[in-house]
Amino acid sequence: MFAPRQLLLSTALLTLSAPLLAAKRVDLDYQVRFLPESDQAEVSLTLEQGEAVRHLRFDLGDKGYYSDFKATGSWQQEDPGHGTWTPAAGKASLSYRVRISHPREDGRFDARMTPDWALLRGDDLVPSARLDLVEGNELVSRMTVELPKDWKAVETGWPRIGKNRFRIDNPERLFDRPTGWILAGKLGSRRATLGNTDITVSAPVGEGMRRMDILTLLTFVWPHAQEIFPREPGKLLIVGANDPMWRGGLSAPNSFFMHSARPLVSENGTSSLLHELVHVFSRIRDTDRSDWISEGIAEYYAIELMRRAGGLSDDRYALIRKQLGQWSRKVESLRDEHASGPLTARAVLLLQDLDKEIRLKTDGKHSVDDVTRGLMRLDKASTKDFIQISENLIGGSSEVLGTKLLR
């Protein structure tokens, strides 16, 4: 009788002590104030208890975007590209200014501020940093945005907890910062809930963004995306603007940018919108000169989602394959750090052929969908990983993957 009672007592004591072992939550508040007259934002980080953090070492890049650092505690900039904040005990803050507009060599912009709006990635507002956190503490991050007098709204891919206030919580990061796209100013927005995702399509007024067209296309393909991908974001922000913004699409885990002049479905039958959507859903990252995997899968499903939703007939699908073949006829290898357009086209053809092979050899039990789900479980995927997952499904070697394109 004694042993069971002792066990019950030990269990009870462990249960009672569990809250004591939980990490201490320390507030980290980001304050962002846009300054369109100087093409800058003023950013401050405030720690409620500075002693919880030994230091934050920021990667400031080589563009000279950051300036005017002021800190409670110490700020040391070892070189132009790196700076370290050692917070003081008690309430501590770091403030600085960051330039918003990022011109490219071709005269286009990755990020831009005008007198009426700002479109940028939060990754640039708060640069990446190495966090040395005192054991037993956990940072709880929020961001508040202060807008110029005549600006109306701000949109991010993070949950809204106030008018211009957002909860920043990324379980994959120790240092939660407001990554993803941010749009502020005089905006037009449309919203919908698809599956488990709250979607906002937003653009500055007068930039020609086809908000309702985008929501309509997403409504058709969303159920098919849910069948393929085991996770979907709780919130998705799609932003856009016209020239001189970069004429393409750029994705982040909770948001993506689309140039407002890009067609939802291009003349060759693919969709930049769905390509970026697949990046958000899959979040596949690659390594070992295997960019063909993430880019190929995104383009493969940009076609496949429309096909499954009934937006592509068999003859149109066959024509797309023919065009992809013509575009990629000079590609001799898929192995590269950055997949070009022709290389991505060739990767799509390989994925389509592999899907046929897997379905045939498994009597329809498996497909490339299963390969994709396997890749999503990896931190980073290599060509070797791709082949191993595929051949495990097949139960033997793959004729399609025996190609010299993957060597």
Short mmCIF file of all heavy atoms in Angstrom, two decimals, residues 91-119:
data_model
loop_
_atom_site.label_atom_id
_atom_site.label_comp_id
_atom_site.label_asym_id
_atom_site.label_seq_id
_atom_site.Cartn_x
_atom_site.Cartn_y
_atom_site.Cartn_z
N LYS A 91 13.32 48.27 -17.10
CA LYS A 91 12.76 48.58 -18.41
C LYS A 91 13.86 49.14 -19.30
O LYS A 91 14.51 50.13 -18.95
CB LYS A 91 11.62 49.58 -18.27
CG LYS A 91 10.76 49.70 -19.52
CD LYS A 91 9.50 50.50 -19.22
CE LYS A 91 8.56 50.50 -20.41
NZ LYS A 91 7.29 51.21 -20.11
N ALA A 92 14.07 48.50 -20.45
CA ALA A 92 15.18 48.89 -21.33
C ALA A 92 14.68 49.00 -22.77
O ALA A 92 13.77 48.27 -23.19
CB ALA A 92 16.31 47.86 -21.25
N SER A 93 15.29 49.91 -23.53
CA SER A 93 14.83 50.10 -24.91
C SER A 93 16.00 50.35 -25.85
O SER A 93 17.06 50.84 -25.44
CB SER A 93 13.84 51.27 -24.99
OG SER A 93 14.47 52.48 -24.62
N LEU A 94 15.77 50.01 -27.11
CA LEU A 94 16.69 50.31 -28.20
C LEU A 94 15.87 50.97 -29.29
O LEU A 94 14.80 50.47 -29.67
CB LEU A 94 17.32 49.02 -28.75
CG LEU A 94 18.13 49.15 -30.05
CD1 LEU A 94 19.43 49.91 -29.79
CD2 LEU A 94 18.41 47.77 -30.67
N SER A 95 16.35 52.10 -29.82
CA SER A 95 15.64 52.76 -30.91
C SER A 95 16.61 53.08 -32.03
O SER A 95 17.82 53.23 -31.81
CB SER A 95 14.95 54.04 -30.43
OG SER A 95 15.90 55.00 -30.01
N TYR A 96 16.08 53.20 -33.23
CA TYR A 96 16.90 53.51 -34.41
C TYR A 96 15.97 53.93 -35.54
O TYR A 96 14.73 53.84 -35.43
CB TYR A 96 17.73 52.29 -34.84
CG TYR A 96 16.94 51.04 -35.06
CD1 TYR A 96 16.36 50.74 -36.29
CD2 TYR A 96 16.74 50.13 -34.01
CE1 TYR A 96 15.63 49.59 -36.49
CE2 TYR A 96 16.00 48.97 -34.20
CZ TYR A 96 15.45 48.70 -35.43
OH TYR A 96 14.72 47.56 -35.62
N ARG A 97 16.55 54.37 -36.63
CA ARG A 97 15.79 54.68 -37.84
C ARG A 97 16.21 53.74 -38.96
O ARG A 97 17.37 53.33 -39.02
CB ARG A 97 16.00 56.14 -38.25
CG ARG A 97 15.33 57.12 -37.29
CD ARG A 97 15.24 58.51 -37.88
NE ARG A 97 14.47 59.41 -37.04
CZ ARG A 97 13.96 60.56 -37.44
NH1 ARG A 97 14.15 60.97 -38.71
NH2 ARG A 97 13.26 61.33 -36.62
N VAL A 98 15.25 53.42 -39.83
CA VAL A 98 15.54 52.53 -40.94
C VAL A 98 14.94 53.11 -42.21
O VAL A 98 13.82 53.62 -42.20
CB VAL A 98 14.97 51.11 -40.68
CG1 VAL A 98 13.49 51.15 -40.35
CG2 VAL A 98 15.19 50.19 -41.88
N ARG A 99 15.72 53.11 -43.29
CA ARG A 99 15.23 53.60 -44.57
C ARG A 99 14.29 52.55 -45.18
O ARG A 99 14.59 51.36 -45.16
CB ARG A 99 16.39 53.88 -45.52
CG ARG A 99 15.98 54.71 -46.73
CD ARG A 99 17.17 55.21 -47.51
NE ARG A 99 17.66 54.20 -48.43
CZ ARG A 99 18.95 53.94 -48.63
NH1 ARG A 99 19.87 54.60 -47.96
NH2 ARG A 99 19.32 53.02 -49.51
N ILE A 100 13.17 53.01 -45.74
CA ILE A 100 12.13 52.08 -46.22
C ILE A 100 12.35 51.68 -47.68
O ILE A 100 12.36 50.50 -48.01
CB ILE A 100 10.74 52.70 -46.06
CG1 ILE A 100 10.46 52.99 -44.58
CG2 ILE A 100 9.68 51.78 -46.65
CD1 ILE A 100 10.49 51.76 -43.70
N SER A 101 12.50 52.62 -48.58
CA SER A 101 12.56 52.29 -50.02
C SER A 101 13.85 51.55 -50.36
O SER A 101 14.94 51.96 -49.96
CB SER A 101 12.47 53.57 -50.85
OG SER A 101 11.23 54.21 -50.66
N HIS A 102 13.70 50.45 -51.10
CA HIS A 102 14.83 49.63 -51.53
C HIS A 102 14.87 49.57 -53.05
O HIS A 102 14.20 48.73 -53.67
CB HIS A 102 14.73 48.21 -50.97
CG HIS A 102 14.90 48.12 -49.50
ND1 HIS A 102 14.89 46.93 -48.82
CD2 HIS A 102 15.09 49.08 -48.56
CE1 HIS A 102 15.06 47.14 -47.53
NE2 HIS A 102 15.17 48.45 -47.35
N PRO A 103 15.61 50.45 -53.71
CA PRO A 103 15.68 50.42 -55.17
C PRO A 103 16.54 49.26 -55.66
O PRO A 103 17.52 48.88 -55.02
CB PRO A 103 16.30 51.77 -55.52
CG PRO A 103 17.11 52.14 -54.30
CD PRO A 103 16.37 51.57 -53.13
N ARG A 104 16.15 48.69 -56.79
CA ARG A 104 16.94 47.65 -57.44
C ARG A 104 17.71 48.25 -58.61
O ARG A 104 17.48 49.40 -59.00
CB ARG A 104 16.01 46.53 -57.95
CG ARG A 104 15.26 45.82 -56.85
CD ARG A 104 14.06 45.06 -57.40
NE ARG A 104 14.44 44.04 -58.37
CZ ARG A 104 14.59 42.76 -58.09
NH1 ARG A 104 14.39 42.32 -56.86
NH2 ARG A 104 14.93 41.89 -59.04
N GLU A 105 18.62 47.46 -59.18
CA GLU A 105 19.44 47.96 -60.28
C GLU A 105 18.61 48.29 -61.52
O GLU A 105 19.00 49.13 -62.32
CB GLU A 105 20.52 46.92 -60.64
CG GLU A 105 21.57 46.74 -59.54
CD GLU A 105 22.62 45.71 -59.94
OE1 GLU A 105 22.49 45.14 -61.04
OE2 GLU A 105 23.54 45.47 -59.14
N ASP A 106 17.46 47.64 -61.66
CA ASP A 106 16.63 47.87 -62.85
C ASP A 106 15.65 49.03 -62.67
O ASP A 106 14.78 49.25 -63.51
CB ASP A 106 15.86 46.61 -63.23
CG ASP A 106 14.97 46.10 -62.08
OD1 ASP A 106 14.89 46.78 -61.04
OD2 ASP A 106 14.35 45.03 -62.24
N GLY A 107 15.79 49.78 -61.56
CA GLY A 107 14.92 50.92 -61.32
C GLY A 107 13.62 50.56 -60.62
O GLY A 107 12.81 51.44 -60.33
N ARG A 108 13.43 49.28 -60.34
CA ARG A 108 12.24 48.84 -59.60
C ARG A 108 12.54 48.83 -58.10
O ARG A 108 13.66 49.08 -57.68
CB ARG A 108 11.82 47.46 -60.07
CG ARG A 108 11.65 47.37 -61.59
CD ARG A 108 10.22 47.33 -61.96
NE ARG A 108 10.03 47.39 -63.41
CZ ARG A 108 8.96 47.90 -63.97
NH1 ARG A 108 8.02 48.42 -63.21
NH2 ARG A 108 8.84 47.92 -65.28
N PHE A 109 11.53 48.47 -57.29
CA PHE A 109 11.68 48.51 -55.83
C PHE A 109 11.20 47.21 -55.21
O PHE A 109 10.17 46.65 -55.60
CB PHE A 109 10.86 49.67 -55.25
CG PHE A 109 11.42 51.03 -55.53
CD1 PHE A 109 11.18 51.66 -56.74
CD2 PHE A 109 12.20 51.69 -54.58
CE1 PHE A 109 11.69 52.93 -57.01
CE2 PHE A 109 12.72 52.95 -54.83
CZ PHE A 109 12.47 53.56 -56.05
N ASP A 110 11.94 46.72 -54.20
CA ASP A 110 11.49 45.61 -53.35
C ASP A 110 10.59 46.14 -52.24
O ASP A 110 9.76 45.41 -51.70
CB ASP A 110 12.65 44.90 -52.64
CG ASP A 110 13.69 44.37 -53.57
OD1 ASP A 110 13.35 43.74 -54.59
OD2 ASP A 110 14.85 44.61 -53.25
N ALA A 111 10.83 47.38 -51.84
CA ALA A 111 10.04 48.04 -50.80
C ALA A 111 10.00 49.52 -51.16
O ALA A 111 10.95 50.06 -51.73
CB ALA A 111 10.68 47.84 -49.43
N ARG A 112 8.88 50.18 -50.79
CA ARG A 112 8.74 51.56 -51.23
C ARG A 112 7.86 52.35 -50.28
O ARG A 112 6.89 51.82 -49.72
CB ARG A 112 8.14 51.59 -52.63
CG ARG A 112 8.12 52.98 -53.27
CD ARG A 112 7.76 52.89 -54.74
NE ARG A 112 7.71 54.22 -55.34
CZ ARG A 112 6.64 54.75 -55.92
NH1 ARG A 112 5.52 54.05 -56.01
NH2 ARG A 112 6.68 55.96 -56.42
N MET A 113 8.22 53.62 -50.09
CA MET A 113 7.38 54.54 -49.33
C MET A 113 7.09 55.76 -50.19
O MET A 113 7.97 56.28 -50.87
CB MET A 113 8.07 54.97 -48.04
CG MET A 113 7.26 55.97 -47.21
SD MET A 113 8.10 56.44 -45.68
CE MET A 113 7.53 55.14 -44.61
N THR A 114 5.82 56.19 -50.18
CA THR A 114 5.38 57.40 -50.86
C THR A 114 4.72 58.30 -49.81
O THR A 114 4.58 57.89 -48.65
CB THR A 114 4.36 57.07 -51.98
OG1 THR A 114 3.09 56.80 -51.37
CG2 THR A 114 4.81 55.88 -52.81
N PRO A 115 4.30 59.49 -50.17
CA PRO A 115 3.59 60.31 -49.19
C PRO A 115 2.29 59.68 -48.69
O PRO A 115 1.79 60.06 -47.63
CB PRO A 115 3.30 61.61 -49.97
CG PRO A 115 4.38 61.68 -51.00
CD PRO A 115 4.61 60.26 -51.40
N ASP A 116 1.76 58.70 -49.43
CA ASP A 116 0.46 58.12 -49.09
C ASP A 116 0.50 56.70 -48.56
O ASP A 116 -0.49 56.21 -48.01
CB ASP A 116 -0.46 58.14 -50.31
CG ASP A 116 -0.81 59.55 -50.75
OD1 ASP A 116 -0.97 60.42 -49.87
OD2 ASP A 116 -0.90 59.79 -51.98
N TRP A 117 1.62 55.99 -48.71
CA TRP A 117 1.66 54.61 -48.25
C TRP A 117 3.09 54.09 -48.15
O TRP A 117 4.03 54.67 -48.71
CB TRP A 117 0.83 53.69 -49.15
CG TRP A 117 1.10 53.78 -50.63
CD1 TRP A 117 0.43 54.56 -51.54
CD2 TRP A 117 2.10 53.05 -51.40
NE1 TRP A 117 0.94 54.36 -52.80
CE2 TRP A 117 1.95 53.44 -52.75
CE3 TRP A 117 3.07 52.12 -51.07
CZ2 TRP A 117 2.76 52.92 -53.77
CZ3 TRP A 117 3.89 51.59 -52.08
CH2 TRP A 117 3.72 52.00 -53.40
N ALA A 118 3.22 52.97 -47.44
CA ALA A 118 4.50 52.26 -47.32
C ALA A 118 4.24 50.77 -47.50
O ALA A 118 3.29 50.22 -46.94
CB ALA A 118 5.13 52.52 -45.96
N LEU A 119 5.07 50.13 -48.30
CA LEU A 119 4.97 48.70 -48.57
C LEU A 119 6.36 48.10 -48.38
O LEU A 119 7.30 48.47 -49.07
CB LEU A 119 4.47 48.46 -50.00
CG LEU A 119 4.40 47.01 -50.50
CD1 LEU A 119 3.54 46.15 -49.58
CD2 LEU A 119 3.85 46.97 -51.92
#
